[in-house]
């Protein structure tokens, strides 16, 4: 049995994960900051620079949560004077979406919807771009989710995603990250970390082409494309 199989076999169901995200939005944001810093070994600035450029005219934000990161990314894009996008954010946790709906209530360019990433309520080729920020490793059926995101992307459309890896680097930082990950899996907010080559293979198996990839901290950052070919 591989390390991924061992962890996944003890993971929680989709409903249990949604319930685990039933914390108040303010606590979710504070908790997320510490996870980002100590488990992902990343920063908000790194995420802005990674996810910010990948917004087409019609954009899908998968697992948008309370919308905190999405709001920061959109502000970053406006500061950079990048083109505006019509954004749809989806999440399976209603309590998180309550925060996002409040956050974007006066923004006509952002629509927030309750949806399962494995059964997206959109026609084929509905979006030019998609981002999955800090969430691939929270999906209990990652293959089904990736296939459905690919389905709703137009041919040639791109998806940016970051994936939590098993902790790397020196002690004591690796031990801190490992402890946070074990807590996250018990809590139900983390399904499993990955090895970079494992999750890369899952992206390719779902029908994506890898445009660029890099490991930063404990994250695998990858930009993917749905192939242009009509048969793909």
């Amino acid at each position: 049995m591989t390390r991924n199989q061992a962890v996944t076999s003890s993971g929680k169901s989709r409903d249990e994960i949604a319930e685990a995200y039933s914390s108040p939005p303010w606590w979710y944001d504070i908790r997320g900051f510490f996870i980002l810093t100590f488990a992902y070994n990343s920063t908000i600035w790194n995420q802005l620079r990674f996810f910010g450029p990948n917004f087409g005219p019609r954009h899908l934000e998968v697992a948008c949560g309370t919308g905190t990161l999405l709001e920061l990314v959109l502000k970053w894009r406006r500061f950079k004077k990048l083109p505006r996008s019509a954004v749809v954010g989806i999440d399976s946790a209603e309590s998180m979406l309550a925060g996002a709906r409040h956050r974007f209530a006066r923004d006509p360019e952002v629509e927030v919807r309750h949806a399962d990433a494995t059964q997206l309520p959109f026609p084929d080729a509905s979006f030019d771009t998609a981002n999955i920020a800090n969430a691939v490793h929270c999906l209990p059926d990652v293959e089904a989710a990736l296939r459905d995101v690919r389905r709703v992307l137009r041919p040639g459309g791109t998806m940016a995603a970051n994936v939590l890896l098993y902790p790397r680097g020196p002690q004591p930082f690796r031990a801190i990250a490992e402890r946070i990950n074990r807590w996250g899996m018990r809590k139900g907010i983390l399904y499993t970390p990955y090895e970079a080559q494992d999750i890369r293979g899952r992206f390719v198996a779902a029908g994506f082409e890898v445009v660029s990839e890099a490991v930063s901290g404990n994250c695998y950052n990858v930009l993917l494309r749905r192939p242009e070919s009509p048969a793909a």
Side-chain angles (χ1 to χ4, degrees):
M1 180 178 290
T2 68
R3 178 164 57 171
N4 276 342
Q5 288 171 333
V7 172
T8 300
S9 66
S10 63
K12 294 181 181 292
S13 70
R14 185 181 298 110
D15 290 342
E16 288 173 319
I17 289 175
E19 177 63 25
Y21 278 95
S22 62
S23 306
W26 64 267
W27 170 241
Y28 168 83
D29 291 340
I30 293 173
R31 182 178 68 189
F33 171 79
F34 282 98
I35 292 172
L36 175 66
T37 303
F38 296 107
Y40 295 14
N41 192 16
S42 186
T43 66
I44 292 293
W45 176 243
N46 288 340
Q47 298 210 348
L48 295 177
R49 291 188 297 173
F50 176 64
F51 289 109
N54 189 52
F55 278 70
R58 185 159 172 80
H59 175 82
L60 176 65
E61 195 74 13
V62 179
C64 66
T66 63
T68 302
L69 179 61
L70 176 58
E71 181 181 45
L72 291 173
V73 170
L74 293 176
K75 287 181 177 179
W76 181 87
R77 287 182 56 81
R78 289 163 189 162
F79 176 76
K80 295 287 186 179
K81 296 181 169 54
L82 296 174
R84 297 293 185 107
S85 300
V87 178
V88 178
I90 67 105
D91 203 286
S92 61
E94 283 284 10
S95 59
M96 296 296 96
L97 287 176
R101 290 191 180 102
H102 178 75
R103 191 181 304 275
F104 296 113
R106 298 185 180 181
D107 190 338
E109 296 177 344
V110 180
E111 176 188 358
V112 178
R113 296 183 62 173
H114 180 257
D116 185 333
T118 66
Q119 299 175 348
L120 295 167
F122 309 111
D124 295 357
S126 297
F127 297 94
D128 302 289
T129 54
N131 286 342
I132 309 181
N134 307 322
V136 169
H137 39 273
C138 301
L139 300 171
D141 192 349
V142 67
E143 289 86 358
L146 294 177
R147 288 194 299 268
D148 217 41
V149 174
R150 179 190 176 279
R151 176 186 66 80
V152 301
L153 277 177
R154 64 168 176 79
T158 55
M159 179 179 78
N162 67 336
V163 186
L164 182 66
L165 302 178
Y166 287 100
R168 309 159 60 248
Q171 298 290 8
F173 304 106
R174 185 168 71 250
I176 293 170
E178 288 171 347
R179 186 168 183 175
I180 292 172
N181 289 349
R182 288 195 297 270
W183 170 82
M185 285 185 280
R186 289 195 305 270
K187 173 74 173 173
I189 62 174
L190 168 64
Y191 196 70
T192 179
Y194 287 93
E195 301 286 0
Q197 287 304 309
D198 175 13
I199 193 61
R200 186 188 196 278
R202 297 178 192 230
F203 285 129
V204 173
F208 286 100
E209 299 173 341
V210 176
V211 177
S212 63
E213 57 189 332
V215 173
S216 175
N218 292 328
C219 279
Y220 172 60
N221 299 327
V222 59
L223 181 66
L224 304 143
R225 178 188 295 120
R226 177 177 174 175
E228 292 274 7
S229 168

